[in-house]
Amino acid sequence: AAGQPLNLPLHLIVRRPGGQVFLDTVPKLSDDDAIAVPVKLPLAAQDGNWSVSLATGLKEPALAQESFTVSAFVPPTLAVKLGTAKPIPAGQALRWPVEARYLYGAPGGHLSGTARISLSSGPTPYPQWQNYRFGLHSEIFTAPVQEPTLPDTDAEGQTQVPINLQKLPDSTRFLEAHVAVSINEPSGRPVSSEIVLPVTPDHPLIGIENAFKNDTVAAGKIPEFHIVALAPDGKPSAMPVQIEVVRQSSQWNISMQHGVASWGYSYVDHPVLKKNISLPAGHTYTLQLPVLDYGRYRLRVVEAHGGLAASSAIFYYGWQTSANPGVPQRVSVRSNTAEYAAGSTADIHIDAPFG
């Protein structure tokens, strides 16, 4: 019958690296029509790439095939250390120290290796601003991966990774560098280590902190935000900015590609507020909005007169229990407060994203 497994005498065949048959068996199907066969290799099994396949016969073409590697396990003899993570400055080229040392204590001298550096958005390197969000909500940051030449270790097992941060792609967020280093043992096997280094920016950034929890303002409450413009040294600096608040209504879009329908989720912006202010030096600016209607909102703060500094925050007005539905058939259900007293009446708002 259609959709039912075929009752064929399937051979499970295990072959050595040279193609010689190690095992050929016709296993029985389990109750769920699966095959499970334990294969025990001898201690002196040949090193190399073995294969396992399913076929209707030993000389028939494989219906399915996988490979696996057999090799003797040799524990690493080398340790690679990249030191303690600390912030590194954007706009500069620098070298990060690497130390290779054998596990018995001797330095890993005159060994080759490779390095790989990738950049991504990261948290702020300044602890006092950890609760602030920096950068535009919709920004996607990409940067080319660096694979610099890693000099061989010297007689003391020391070398340095070149890191070039002189020409970084524009970003409104803090960045971090993921540094991966592999040092080759005398046998040629690489031993790897990684470290994540925060990158301090070379231009100001704008941060936003919500004065409410879970990105949601209870109905009837005043939305409040703390906004700061940070200089590269992590201190609040003066900056003229434009503040914009929009209410975002959701809509679903359908598109056809090769005869298959796919859904796309998007938002329509409805202006609520726009004004220009000057962020102060030395402390944060407190923004209070009026009481709003139920819904999803976006606050965006952009440096006036150009510049890279910009930040945005998405928040919801009215208590929301199921925000941002993932399928068109799901709705958002919200109540007007987080808690109720016994016997009180709850006002429930149900919103269809495609309405």
Side-chain angles (χ1 to χ4, degrees):
Q4 297 299 315
L6 297 175
N7 186 18
L8 296 176
L10 288 177
H11 291 242
L12 186 140
I13 306 166
V14 179
R15 286 185 169 87
R16 295 182 172 88
Q20 303 91 343
V21 175
F22 172 77
L23 175 69
D24 178 13
T25 181
V26 181
K28 294 182 179 179
L29 295 178
S30 62
D31 293 340
D32 58 353
D33 299 312
I35 294 174
V37 179
V39 178
K40 185 177 181 179
L41 301 181
L43 294 177
Q46 181 183 356
D47 288 356
N49 293 325
W50 292 53
S51 68
V52 55
S53 61
L54 287 174
T56 56
L58 186 59
K59 296 183 179 181
E60 300 299 323
L63 301 175
Q65 182 170 312
E66 285 290 344
S67 62
F68 61 93
T69 301
V70 175
S71 61
F73 173 73
V74 179
T77 62
L78 199 67
V80 179
K81 297 181 179 180
L82 300 180
T84 302
K86 63 180 181 180
I88 56 178
Q92 299 183 24
L94 54 98
R95 293 180 175 271
W96 189 262
V98 179
E99 180 185 24
R101 187 168 292 274
Y102 291 102
L103 298 183
Y104 58 83
H110 309 295
L111 299 175
S112 63
T114 59
R116 186 176 189 273
I117 302 159
S118 59
L119 295 169
S120 66
S121 300
T124 170
Y126 307 115
Q128 65 271 37
W129 306 108
Q130 291 293 334
N131 294 330
Y132 282 71
R133 298 177 182 177
F134 291 85
L136 295 173
H137 179 268
S138 59
E139 178 181 290
I140 299 176
F141 176 81
T142 58
V145 174
Q146 301 179 28
E147 294 183 342
T149 300
L150 182 67
D152 292 354
T153 59
D154 59 19
E156 300 300 319
Q158 307 285 337
T159 186
Q160 293 180 326
V161 183
I163 303 176
N164 188 351
L165 303 180
Q166 291 178 309
K167 296 181 179 180
L168 296 178
D170 293 341
S171 177
T172 60
R173 299 181 179 181
F174 284 102
L175 304 179
E176 59 186 13
H178 300 254
V179 181
V181 175
S182 295
I183 301 296
N184 299 318
E185 295 180 334
S187 64
R189 182 177 60 175
V191 177
S192 301
S193 183
E194 297 185 10
I195 193 171
V196 179
L197 305 175
V199 178
T200 56
D202 56 0
H203 56 83
L205 295 179
I206 295 174
I208 301 174
E209 180 188 44
N210 297 346
F212 44 87
K213 297 180 180 180
N214 302 320
D215 297 331
T216 301
V217 182
K221 300 296 183 180
I222 299 295
E224 182 175 301
F225 303 86
H226 305 140
I227 306 173
V228 66
L230 285 191
D233 61 1
K235 297 180 180 179
S237 62
M239 178 186 292
V241 298
Q242 182 181 83
I243 293 178
E244 180 188 48
V245 179
V246 298
R247 185 179 185 274
Q248 295 186 315
S249 59
S250 57
Q251 66 178 16
W252 283 92
N253 306 308
I254 185 172
S255 61
M256 300 292 293
Q257 186 174 11
H258 305 298
V260 178
S262 60
W263 293 95
Y265 196 69
S266 62
Y267 293 98
V268 177
D269 293 342
H270 307 278
V272 174
L273 177 147
K274 179 182 288 188
K275 66 178 181 177
N276 295 321
I277 65 166
S278 292
L279 298 180
H283 59 90
T284 63
Y285 173 85
T286 298
L287 172 69
Q288 290 186 335
L289 301 179
V291 173
L292 302 171
D293 294 330
Y294 277 101
R296 169 184 162 124
Y297 291 83
R298 185 193 67 207
L299 165 65
R300 184 163 62 185
V301 184
V302 180
E303 181 180 2
H305 316 303
L308 291 179
S311 191
S312 63
I314 301 296
F315 67 99
Y316 297 86
Y317 194 86
W319 189 262
Q320 186 146 333
T321 58
S322 58
N324 201 15
V327 293
Q329 294 84 359
R330 187 177 299 174
V331 297
S332 295
V333 180
R334 297 167 289 185
S335 60
N336 61 337
T337 186
E339 298 178 354
Y340 293 93
S344 60
T345 301
D347 294 328
I348 302 299
H349 177 80
I350 301 176
D351 180 30
F354 48 84

